[in-house]
Amino acid sequence: QVQLMESGGGSVQAGESLILSCAASKYPYSSMCVGWFRQVPGKEREGVATIYIGDGSMYSADSVKGRYYADSVKGRFTISQDNAKNTLYLQMSSLKSEDTGMYFCAAATMAPLYCSGGHWEVTDFTDWGQGTQVTVSS
């Protein structure tokens, strides 16, 4: 099991930027997918971005290096992982009011092709942080 803790949320104006961080205890498996999800009251949790971390020697370079982004955030959000710090980031720019929500980081055991291609369900992710609130005012 992975312990995850998000930070960096806050209240901003539309058009501004935020960087979210997710510190992990450690990743117990060599093939994992980590990502950011968000949820607003009354709606289902949705995937924002995912990235594969771990041993990529058995997989194609494209699948290992690929990133999944929801259409609504493409070109505005960037997901990255600092392996030395076991920390996941989400750089969010040109924020919109519709980006408002509780943001969670999560982890799953998963091959890179599924992770970077977005071929997963939210329920595939078994370890979750507590979330950090992002509020964007227009």
Side-chain angles (χ1 to χ4, degrees), residues 23-100:
S25 53
K26 69 173 185 178
Y27 296 108
Y29 304 108
S30 62
S31 184
M32 298 198 73
C33 182
V34 293
W36 291 95
F37 299 77
R38 66 186 179 191
Q39 188 169 23
V40 296
K43 291 190 176 181
E44 293 185 353
R45 193 168 296 186
E46 64 172 350
V48 174
T50 55
I51 183 173
Y52 173 79
I53 60 172
D55 182 1
S57 60
M58 296 175 58
Y59 305 102
S60 71
D62 287 345
S63 65
V64 172
K65 295 179 180 179
R67 312 283 186 267
Y68 164 81
Y69 293 99
D71 288 341
S72 60
V73 306
K74 282 181 181 176
R76 300 188 298 120
F77 290 12
T78 301
I79 188 171
S80 61
Q81 168 75 12
D82 185 332
N83 291 325
K85 297 180 179 179
N86 265 359
T87 301
L88 179 70
Y89 299 97
L90 185 68
Q91 295 177 274
M92 306 186 293
S93 61
S94 302
L95 282 162
K96 305 176 181 179
S97 57
E98 51 262 46
D99 294 318
T100 294

